[in-house]
Amino acid sequence: MTTNIGYSIMRKLLPFLLILLCCGTIEVRSQEKSMRLYAEQFLNVTISKKVNHPQIKDRSGVASLGNVIEAPHLVFRFAVKEPGRYVVSTYALTDPLGNELMKKAKSKYESLFMDIQVNDQPTTKRVVCVPWNIPRQVTGKFVLEQNNEIKIWLPKGVVLDFIEIKPYVAPPVPEAAQNYKPKYLPPTEHPRLWVSKETLPSVRAQVEIGENKIKWEAVKAMALKDFNPNFNKEGEISFDENLEKIVEAKAFYYLITKDEKIGKEALLLTKEYISRVVFGNILDITREIGRAIHISSEVYDWCYDLMEEEDKDLIRQHLMRLADDMEIGWPPFLQSVVNGHGNEAQVNRDLLSMAIAIYNEDPLPYQYCSYAILEELVPMRKFEYQSPRHNQGMHYGIYRFTWDLHAAWLFSRMLNQEVFDPNIKNLGDYWIYSRTPDGQMLRDGDQGLSGKPGEYYYWQMYPISFFLNYTYSDNPYLKHSFERMSNNNINPVLYLLLNDPTFKSKELPIDYPLTKDFGTILGSMINRTGWEDGLNSNNVVAEIKGGGYFFANHQHSDAGALQIYHRGIQVGDLGLYKFYGTPYDMNFTKRSVSHSMMLALDPAEKFGNLPSNDGGTRMRRTFPKNLEEVLNNETYRNGTVLSSSYGPDLLSPKFNYFSVDLTSAYSDKLRSYIRDYIFINTRNKDIPAIIVLKDQMETSSAGTKKYWQANTLYKPVIDQQGRIVFSNSRGEENAFTYVEFIYPKSDSLEKKILSGDSTFNVFGYQVEPPLNTQAEAFGHRILVSPVHPNTKDSFLSFFQMTNEGIKPMEPEHTKKQGVDYLKVDNMLVLIRDGKEFYNERIVLDIKNEKEVFIVGLREGTWELTDKKGKKLKSFIVEETQNSLYLPMTEGNFFIQYASE
């Protein structure tokens, strides 16, 4: 019996003894700033093995043998020169099993996790491999002694190459922030987070009124419910969103009612939770960390009068501990506050909330956060939001705008005054005008698409943004959009803090303006033929982009892109977004090739380190950090809006004009490129809209091939007249878009329809769409290019959006003295050549054309005369509009430039 017991003990101890035999004599010392410890030198041979991998050169990685055992697969023993905080990272790859697991993964929580123990610190779980195939992962920051031991337990499917260790260096504080004196200071009294002594009475008074009452009952039920979490008394605990909601509800209930029992429960739960919670290194875990900081800060502020000094010290200590693990770092200057993850909740809500709450005890966090927001973010947004749309597009734009609004609200409530420019209130127009009749949105930027093709789906990404927007800007139409969203059940505490139940929503009126000019910072125009909602709507929605500035990150290289909706997307964007930085994402989705726009393919051009060349606009993936960078760095230029006008009725314009010089959006492969866009609301149900598109491009070399490109969801055809025919449908109604090239003529053009894999072949570089549930994954590209190489080429294309069974119109075209005359039905459209505004005499021989629309005119006074030279009327052409609308009768006329 004794022998058997001894043998059993030896079996359990054997792996640990083997670790000592394999690793005990290996010690790595480094005087360098960082060190790499290669896994093959530290493995436990009984439960792990050396593995060859094509991405590991000249050595082997280490993988688990799959044994279920307590012993670690690797033990790294090493020394550092100086004890202190160090960053530990891993470089790991997946084997065939791991490849399959990661391919099936649908979220960051399906990453592969290892266990790691540093010296005698608690063992913790950390991500080692992710679905988007980025081998290097930052494991975390750890305190190291002079001599150290790191144990790692690997999951199946992972091949570990090495770990890297380097000293942690806190983010440097900008010189301007070091001695910054904030423009505005928190009041000395509490509460001051989301409410002040001036606003608290109205919040209290409104919790029982109208729509607020339902939310209040929900908060009250949560606050009054007994909650006794079974906290792990030893070691770490994972974050608990439900617990955080309960804590927030109890703290808010105390704020409103002054029920000390509930307030003390909120305080106790906060202390127990925040002193134990550990978040690890899951992708974007900073969002979960930030939420814990924000709610704990609310407790600190709202329950301030219940706290003893030791309570304040404990909560503040752990708030700062969590702040240190934020992606933006502490001090909060590791990332920019104007774009990227630094422009999300981290500073705008979480750290700002902490800074406001603890200001009396520690004013430094407020000094840093107020500097970042007031001196960096606010001036940048004042500039950007001159164009009332978001540069990060439909999905990330609305998400990040949510956090701008958090900061705006926090300062407004704390100070009883606004610190952001009032133009922040106008951004809601972007989402109003982009909504298509089937409830979805025009595509813009990296976007998570929803809904099934052909079905009605009311797009409702981040309803909280609509909520914060309408409450801050008092926009009743945005409140109506929010109320239509099926998942509008946002945080009831935030709802009660900000919602005025006496403020009523309004449905968008039928006479709401049909055209939106978005200005020159993010140059674009959206045109509509109406606001009818539903699958049976015959409305056309069209967008033209270009001009202004490029802000990178989730913004696409889409200067000049066209989108058309008529009973579904007819012409648009084929990009699908799942993970950032994949070959498909960088070489297709974010690039010009996935959009309906001009390409100029110079075989020698390089787009950063991309393996592909799509012939599109510049490759710029870093964003400007401040206004000076935007204005002074030419690579952020995205073209220049030359003209934008519409009329004659400004609410329901028939004629719409947008002209943009896109030369600066491309590299020096272009000498010049002008795109002129005219949208005509025909008010004809059979052919509800017409678009005239004129592209004038000159390349630096005839060897740079030009491609006029339009992308669509359903396979187009080329009819007997040489027209490209796009189609889509909603409900039982089909619609078509006919595209005819006025010039060059068909015999001078090569037209290709790319489908299947060819759609996603970027001139020789093949990618694969990540989402095969969306129509975009099966889309098509039309490439139209001149047969003969030239440095200069012009394309005049004519689009007609028609209903099924309707014969398209046949436009008549002539050219006189550098002006295109295009007659359609009873309309005459004139477009000048080049980018210089026209100031020569124009001949008008009118027969049955009742309306004339002339674009590209020099600003100033123009005169209409009869054929004998008699002055009939004078007109003022406004700067930046450069267009003229003339209701006409039959006869021979001239229109000529008179003066500036």
Side-chain angles (χ1 to χ4, degrees):
M1 179 69 70
T2 306
T3 304
N4 289 339
I5 292 174
Y7 176 72
S8 176
I9 293 172
M10 285 298 296
R11 281 193 62 186
K12 291 182 179 180
L13 288 176
L14 182 60
F16 295 95
L17 294 173
L18 283 170
I19 292 174
L20 294 176
L21 291 173
C22 295
C23 309
T25 60
I26 298 177
E27 185 178 88
V28 178
R29 290 184 177 271
S30 174
Q31 307 302 323
E32 304 296 326
K33 289 187 176 180
S34 65
M35 69 171 74
R36 284 186 181 180
L37 306 180
Y38 291 99
E40 64 178 348
Q41 300 175 10
F42 297 90
L43 79 164
N44 179 345
V45 294
T46 62
I47 55 174
S48 54
K49 60 181 178 179
K50 292 183 181 182
V51 176
N52 294 324
H53 194 284
Q55 289 178 253
I56 302 176
K57 305 297 182 183
D58 303 322
R59 59 181 180 277
S60 301
V62 172
S64 166
L65 283 172
N67 311 44
V68 179
I69 194 165
E70 292 182 2
H73 295 102
L74 300 120
V75 177
F76 297 89
R77 289 193 174 89
F78 59 97
V80 295
K81 185 177 181 180
E82 295 180 5
R85 299 185 74 201
Y86 285 76
V87 177
V88 177
S89 302
T90 60
Y91 188 92
L93 304 154
T94 48
D95 61 18
L97 171 63
N99 292 340
E100 286 302 310
L101 292 172
M102 293 298 89
K103 192 172 182 180
K104 295 175 183 177
K106 296 176 182 175
S107 75
K108 64 184 182 181
Y109 297 106
E110 294 175 86
S111 300
L112 295 176
F113 293 81
M114 67 179 184
D115 286 341
I116 181 171
Q117 183 182 28
V118 177
N119 296 326
D120 294 327
Q121 298 166 35
T123 302
T124 184
K125 282 191 177 298
R126 296 297 162 102
V127 170
V128 66
C129 286
V130 292
W132 42 99
N133 190 27
I134 299 177
R136 186 181 294 275
Q137 295 294 312
V138 176
T139 307
K141 297 190 285 283
F142 298 91
V143 175
L144 297 183
E145 301 163 4
Q146 191 166 9
N147 295 298
N148 301 278
E149 181 179 84
I150 293 181
K151 298 175 184 176
I152 288 179
W153 291 259
L154 291 174
K156 294 179 182 179
V158 169
V159 178
L160 181 67
D161 185 8
F162 60 81
I163 67 171
E164 190 166 73
I165 298 161
K166 61 181 179 180
Y168 170 69
V169 179
V173 179
E175 186 176 347
Q178 291 176 17
N179 300 303
Y180 178 64
K181 304 297 182 186
K183 295 177 181 177
Y184 313 100
L185 296 176
T188 56
E189 71 276 355
H190 294 266
R192 56 196 182 208
L193 196 56
W194 293 115
V195 290
S196 64
K197 66 178 181 181
E198 289 82 10
T199 56
L200 181 57
S202 65
V203 172
R204 279 180 174 149
Q206 290 177 345
V207 295
E208 299 275 5
I209 297 175
E211 60 210 19
N212 283 15
K213 185 174 177 59
I214 297 173
K215 305 288 186 185
W216 173 240
E217 293 300 324
V219 171
K220 184 163 61 173
M222 195 182 302
L224 296 178
K225 185 176 180 179
D226 289 336
F227 184 72
N228 297 302
N230 185 21
F231 285 121
N232 179 10
K233 298 300 181 183
E234 294 182 7
E236 64 186 46
I237 61 172
S238 296
F239 68 91
D240 187 335
E241 184 177 359
N242 183 58
L243 182 149
E244 292 169 5
K245 289 178 179 178
I246 291 170
V247 166
E248 185 179 42
K250 288 179 179 290
F252 182 73
Y253 187 80
Y254 173 69
L255 179 72
I256 299 300
T257 66
K258 286 299 176 183
D259 184 327
E260 287 196 11
K261 175 180 177 294
I262 303 302
K264 288 178 179 178
E265 288 177 5
L267 183 58
L268 179 61
L269 285 171
T270 298
K271 292 191 297 180
E272 293 287 326
Y273 178 65
I274 198 173
S275 60
R276 291 180 171 85
V277 66
V278 174
F279 288 86
N281 67 327
I282 298 176
L283 174 73
D284 298 342
I285 195 64
T286 194
R287 293 166 182 167
E288 286 81 3
I289 298 172
R291 186 181 61 224
I293 289 173
H294 172 236
I295 290 174
S296 299
S297 299
E298 288 178 327
V299 174
Y300 194 101
D301 182 61
W302 297 344
C303 302
Y304 191 81
D305 56 349
L306 297 177
M307 290 195 293
E308 302 294 338
E309 288 303 316
E310 55 266 29
D311 299 328
K312 298 175 190 175
D313 290 343
L314 184 142
I315 294 176
R316 202 166 64 253
Q317 171 195 339
H318 287 287
L319 284 172
M320 296 307 300
R321 171 179 69 87
L322 295 180
D324 187 72
D325 281 337
M326 295 286 272
E327 194 176 309
I328 201 168
W330 190 264
F333 300 110
L334 197 59
Q335 298 171 325
S336 170
V337 76
V338 303
N339 204 337
H341 287 186
N343 179 230
E344 295 178 359
Q346 295 186 81
V347 175
N348 285 336
R349 182 195 65 179
D350 306 329
L351 297 178
L352 178 60
S353 296
M354 178 188 79
I356 291 171
I358 69 174
Y359 177 75
N360 292 36
E361 290 73 34
D362 184 0
L364 191 61
Y366 182 80
Q367 176 183 323
Y368 291 159
C369 291
S370 63
Y371 169 80
I373 294 173
L374 299 177
E375 303 303 327
E376 295 184 335
L377 181 64
V378 168
M380 193 71 158
R381 292 297 183 259
K382 181 178 181 178
F383 171 76
E384 290 174 330
Y385 292 166
Q386 292 175 77
S387 284
R389 64 183 297 154
H390 204 287
N391 61 59
Q392 294 298 282
M394 191 56 55
H395 183 133
Y396 279 89
I398 201 164
Y399 179 71
R400 289 183 179 161
F401 184 54
T402 299
W403 304 114
D404 285 357
L405 289 168
H406 274 83
W409 260 122
L410 284 166
F411 274 106
S412 175
R413 276 291 177 85
M414 180 181 76
L415 302 169
N416 297 310
Q417 70 177 92
E418 296 174 2
V419 300
F420 280 77
D421 190 273
N423 64 18
I424 193 175
K425 298 179 181 180
N426 301 327
L427 226 68
D429 277 350
Y430 171 46
W431 290 281
I432 288 175
Y433 277 91
S434 295
R435 192 175 295 278
T436 51
D438 59 357
Q440 296 197 36
M441 295 280 186
L442 294 173
R443 308 317 192 203
D444 190 13
D446 289 339
Q447 181 166 326
L449 306 176
S450 301
K452 295 181 180 179
E455 294 185 2
Y456 186 89
Y457 175 80
Y458 196 78
W459 185 91
Q460 45 195 306
M461 191 70 68
Y462 303 114
I464 187 175
S465 188
F466 283 78
F467 171 75
L468 291 167
N469 201 336
Y470 87 69
T471 53
Y472 191 78
S473 61
D474 291 330
N475 188 323
Y477 308 123
L478 290 176
K479 184 169 186 179
H480 182 260
S481 292
F482 172 75
E483 291 174 342
R484 288 193 62 184
M485 295 177 177
S486 60
N487 61 337
N488 66 5
N489 189 26
I490 65 168
N491 181 347
V493 170
L494 184 64
Y495 189 91
L496 292 168
L497 285 164
L498 301 180
N499 187 63
D500 178 357
T502 66
F503 178 69
K504 302 302 179 184
S505 66
K506 290 182 183 178
E507 187 173 356
L508 207 65
I510 201 68
D511 61 349
Y512 201 72
L514 294 177
T515 293
K516 184 66 180 181
D517 170 17
F518 287 92
T520 60
I521 308 303
L522 287 171
S524 53
M525 176 185 280
I526 294 179
N527 306 109
R528 310 180 65 98
T529 60
W531 290 102
E532 182 185 0
D533 186 40
L535 295 180
N536 294 324
S537 171
N538 193 36
N539 291 162
V540 173
V541 184
E543 178 194 57
I544 186 69
K545 285 183 179 178
Y549 301 88
F550 189 69
F551 297 91
N553 198 214
H554 293 284
Q555 185 179 1
H556 288 184
S557 300
D558 60 357
L562 175 71
Q563 289 191 79
I564 303 171
Y565 174 98
H566 183 214
R567 303 193 189 280
I569 296 293
Q570 299 275 346
V571 175
D573 174 8
L574 293 182
L576 292 166
Y577 181 72
K578 186 176 182 182
F579 294 124
Y580 193 97
T582 64
Y584 169 87
D585 179 53
M586 301 305 290
N587 293 276
F588 189 81
T589 291
K590 287 181 170 63
R591 291 298 304 148
S592 306
V593 68
S594 69
H595 302 84
S596 297
M597 56 185 286
M598 288 287 295
L599 307 177
L601 186 64
D602 173 3
E605 186 171 19
K606 300 293 184 184
F607 290 89
N609 59 358
L610 292 184
S612 66
N613 175 359
D614 72 338
T617 59
R618 293 178 188 275
M619 176 68 181
R620 180 84 205 205
R621 298 314 317 158
T622 57
F623 56 82
K625 308 299 190 298
N626 51 56
L627 192 52
E628 183 181 7
E629 271 192 62
V630 175
L631 298 176
N632 296 325
N633 188 328
E634 286 297 316
T635 62
Y636 292 118
R637 295 302 302 271
N638 216 25
T640 303
V641 176
L642 301 175
S643 310
S644 182
S645 63
Y646 50 93
D649 182 345
L650 296 182
L651 292 180
S652 181
K654 184 168 188 176
F655 295 98
N656 305 265
Y657 174 53
F658 185 85
S659 180
V660 58
D661 181 344
L662 291 163
T663 312
S664 66
Y666 294 76
S667 68
D668 58 7
K669 66 186 175 184
L670 293 193
R671 289 179 183 159
S672 68
Y673 172 34
I674 308 298
R675 174 164 267 198
D676 287 298
Y677 160 94
I678 297 168
F679 179 93
I680 300 173
N681 180 358
T682 65
R683 301 183 175 88
N684 177 341
K685 69 176 183 179
D686 293 331
I687 306 177
I690 292 168
I691 291 174
V692 180
L693 199 62
K694 184 173 181 177
D695 292 286
Q696 303 171 82
M697 179 179 281
E698 180 180 5
T699 57
S700 300
S701 165
T704 297
K705 191 168 183 178
K706 306 173 190 69
Y707 291 94
W708 182 102
Q709 178 177 263
N711 298 339
T712 190
L713 302 182
Y714 299 98
K715 190 168 185 176
V717 297
I718 299 175
D719 68 10
Q720 292 180 344
Q721 287 74 36
R723 292 174 299 209
I724 302 166
V725 186
F726 301 103
S727 63
N728 211 324
S729 63
R730 288 292 180 266
E732 298 180 355
E733 301 291 339
N734 298 320
F736 300 88
T737 296
Y738 290 84
V739 183
E740 176 179 352
F741 284 89
I742 307 301
Y743 58 74
K745 295 298 183 182
S746 289
D747 57 2
S748 299
L749 292 173
E750 179 185 17
K751 298 173 185 173
K752 289 183 180 179
I753 299 176
L754 303 182
S755 302
D757 290 344
S758 296
T759 301
F760 306 102
N761 189 289
V762 186
F763 297 108
Y765 183 80
Q766 189 69 46
V767 294
E768 181 181 351
L771 300 169
N772 59 11
T773 57
Q774 299 292 339
E776 284 80 356
F778 309 97
H780 311 265
R781 291 163 50 214
I782 289 280
L783 291 176
V784 180
S785 55
V787 172
H788 303 291
N790 303 292
T791 54
K792 287 185 180 181
D793 284 289
S794 294
F795 302 81
L796 183 62
S797 50
F798 178 68
F799 296 67
Q800 301 177 66
M801 279 56 78
T802 75
N803 287 312
E804 189 172 22
I806 301 302
K807 182 180 178 181
M809 295 184 285
E810 296 184 4
E812 299 176 20
H813 173 259
T814 57
K815 192 148 194 164
K816 303 174 186 176
Q817 297 179 323
V819 176
D820 288 302
Y821 290 67
L822 194 63
K823 180 182 176 182
V824 185
D825 197 16
N826 61 357
M827 299 171 288
L828 182 63
V829 177
L830 280 69
I831 315 170
R832 60 84 171 85
D833 280 344
K835 71 175 181 179
E836 300 301 324
F837 295 122
Y838 200 80
N839 64 351
E840 303 295 328
R841 190 171 74 160
I842 297 173
V843 178
L844 297 175
D845 294 326
I846 305 298
K847 294 179 181 178
N848 62 345
E849 301 91 347
K850 297 179 181 178
E851 297 174 293
V852 175
F853 190 52
I854 311 173
V855 301
L857 296 177
R858 183 176 175 180
E859 68 271 13
T861 302
W862 287 75
E863 293 178 349
L864 179 68
T865 66
D866 62 18
K867 61 181 180 180
K868 295 180 180 180
K870 181 182 177 181
K871 179 180 173 181
L872 302 176
K873 197 170 183 181
S874 293
F875 304 91
I876 301 296
V877 173
E878 300 289 347
E879 185 180 8
T880 73
Q881 295 187 2
N882 309 108
S883 63
L884 199 55
Y885 167 77
L886 302 173
M888 298 298 291
T889 57
E890 186 175 344
N892 302 110
F893 306 92
F894 299 102
I895 183 161
Q896 55 195 23
Y897 187 69
S899 64
E900 292 190 19

